[in-house]
């Protein structure tokens, strides 16, 4: 289980959402067999997606963050529902890099790469999802998300995302925050907030040794923060046979007919949670016919 806490400060001119989610990242590590740097890369992306997803209005809305940075990780993908429950995967979960030479931290930017884009799509149940995309800044995810929000959504926000991996490779601490100044905030308030973020302890240290409330207290130091809500969030995959069958149709009728021609059932594994679904040849034939008739329309 993880938790998202929302708070406001400075007479409601600042709002913050903090997530504490080591269990979510540990679950991702267990499912995908993530390397330490991969735990940090996918973990930060999951935590960011959860924070943004939790702000969605419609119950069935979903939000997807996709990072394509050209690094050894390949694509990194995280999907959140409107509660902030998340799931995700990356192309190369075992890929790893040595720690950064200058500070010994996990080299997330190197693993994701910096030569590419962050794409955020919001599926709000309309005909087309709302999609925005920006160039990666550092591949460290938090900076990239802040740049995305500024450029693509004109939202001025500071984003912190962190994952601390223990010596046995398990996830020891993981969390993040998005803090946003509402329009018209005076300069001294902006400076105060920037100073607080600059001088705060390392995010994962606060979460490891203290609490998400302590993150709020440090980011909003001397700004009179007031907690509004607390919500539980989980690593959760809503996959089902029906959803997998729908996804299968998109591979085209020729590929499906080939699978249907095999004597044995075909096993399809959900890329988000690793659950396996078996499809019998006759089911695949039905899907192939459906795909063919849809292609002919
Ligand atoms: Zn699944």
């Amino acid at each position: 289980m993880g938790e998202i806490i929302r708070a406001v400060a400075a007479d409601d001119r600042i709002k913050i959402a903090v997530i504490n989610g080591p269990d979510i990242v540990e679950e991702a590590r267990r499912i995908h067999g993530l390397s330490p740097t991969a735990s940090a890369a996918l973990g930060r992306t999951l935590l960011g997606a959860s924070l943004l997803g939790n702000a969605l209005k419609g119950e069935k809305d979903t939000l997807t963050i996709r990072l394509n940075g050209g690094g050894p990780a390949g694509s990194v993908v995280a999907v959140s529902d409107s509660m902030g429950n998340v799931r995700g995967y990356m192309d190369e979960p075992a890929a790893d890099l040595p720690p950064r030479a200058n500070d010994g931290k996990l080299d997330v930017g190197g693993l994701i790469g910096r030569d590419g884009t962050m794409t955020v799509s919001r599926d709000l149940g309309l005909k087309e999802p709302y999609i925005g995309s920006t160039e990666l800044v550092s591949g460290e995810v938090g900076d990239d998300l802040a740049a995305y929000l500024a450029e693509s959504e004109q939202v001025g926000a500071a984003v912190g995302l962190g994952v601390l991996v223990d010596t046995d490779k398990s996830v020891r601490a993981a969390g993040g925050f998005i803090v946003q100044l509402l329009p018209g905030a005076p300069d001294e308030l902006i400076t105060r907030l920037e100073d607080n973020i600059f001088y705060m302890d390392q995010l994962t240290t606060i979460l490891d040794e203290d609490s998400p409330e302590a993150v709020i207290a440090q980011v909003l130091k001397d700004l009179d923060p007031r907690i509004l809500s607390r919500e539980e969030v989980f690593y959760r995959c809503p996959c089902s046979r029906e959803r997998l069958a729908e996804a299968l149709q998109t591979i085209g009728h020729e590929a499906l007919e080939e699978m249907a021609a095999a004597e044995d059932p075909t096993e399809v594994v959900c890329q988000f949670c690793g659950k396996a679904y078996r499809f019998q040849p006759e089911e695949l034939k039905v899907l192939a016919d459906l795909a063919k008739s849809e292609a002919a329309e």
Side-chain angles (χ1 to χ4, degrees):
M1 185 197 95
E3 185 181 31
I4 291 179
I5 304 177
R6 292 189 173 277
V8 289
D11 298 324
D12 297 355
R13 282 176 298 188
I14 297 174
K15 59 178 184 179
I16 189 170
V18 177
I19 182 167
N20 184 31
D23 293 354
I24 290 173
V25 183
E26 178 63 15
E27 178 72 356
R29 185 181 80 92
R30 189 190 64 75
I31 291 168
H32 300 293
L34 300 170
S35 76
T37 317
S39 289
L42 181 56
R44 289 183 196 175
T45 312
L46 286 166
L47 296 163
S50 179
L51 284 171
L52 290 183
N54 181 260
L56 292 168
K57 299 279 189 291
E59 198 185 324
K60 289 185 175 167
D61 295 354
T62 62
L63 177 138
T64 303
I65 298 179
R66 181 181 288 270
L67 295 156
N68 288 303
S75 294
V76 180
V77 177
V79 182
S80 176
D81 68 15
S82 64
M83 312 285 286
N85 299 310
V86 278
R87 59 194 189 271
Y89 66 88
M90 60 197 280
D91 287 344
E92 302 294 341
D96 206 4
L97 287 176
R100 300 197 301 205
N102 59 336
D103 58 8
K105 288 186 180 176
L106 294 169
D107 190 2
V108 172
L111 197 74
I112 290 175
R114 299 166 182 89
D115 187 18
T117 53
M118 169 179 270
T119 304
V120 177
S121 67
R122 288 181 162 83
D123 190 338
L124 309 178
L126 305 170
K127 204 168 179 195
E128 300 287 337
Y130 174 80
I131 301 175
S133 189
T134 46
E135 299 283 315
L136 289 174
V137 180
S138 67
E140 296 283 335
V141 189
D143 298 344
D144 302 300
L145 197 52
Y148 167 82
L149 290 170
E151 287 172 37
S152 195
E153 304 194 0
Q154 287 77 49
V155 170
V159 180
L161 297 169
V163 174
L164 179 65
V165 176
D166 216 332
T167 46
D168 67 356
K169 298 185 183 175
S170 66
V171 176
R172 179 166 172 158
F177 66 84
I178 295 179
V179 60
Q180 202 182 322
L181 265 167
L182 300 185
D187 284 348
E188 62 262 29
L189 201 54
I190 298 171
T191 309
R192 173 87 245 179
L193 191 58
E194 283 173 351
D195 282 354
N196 285 352
I197 292 169
F198 184 81
Y199 289 111
M200 72 185 280
D201 295 327
Q202 198 172 313
L203 178 63
T204 50
T205 306
I206 305 174
L207 291 170
D208 185 31
E209 296 175 1
D210 205 333
S211 64
E213 288 83 355
V215 175
I216 294 173
Q218 288 204 22
V219 174
L220 302 177
K221 187 168 172 260
D222 299 330
L223 293 169
D224 195 20
R226 182 164 57 92
I227 289 176
L228 296 179
S229 66
R230 295 166 181 276
E231 288 170 86
E232 292 179 356
V233 286
F234 300 87
Y235 190 102
R236 184 177 287 166
C237 184
C239 68
S240 63
R241 280 186 66 78
E242 291 70 32
R243 281 179 186 235
L244 262 283
E246 266 175 44
L248 266 179
Q249 281 184 56
T250 63
I251 69 173
H253 70 94
E254 279 161 1
L256 282 165
E257 266 155 26
E258 216 167 277
M259 287 157 71
E263 269 179 45
D264 297 322
T266 300
E267 193 171 88
V268 182
V269 176
C270 173
Q271 60 189 345
F272 291 102
C273 71
K275 192 170 174 191
Y277 295 86
R278 287 159 76 93
F279 288 87
Q280 300 297 331
E282 48 272 28
E283 291 179 276
L284 292 164
K285 185 75 180 73
V286 172
L287 291 176
D289 292 345
L290 274 171
K292 194 171 185 176
S293 65
E294 266 175 36
E297 272 173 19

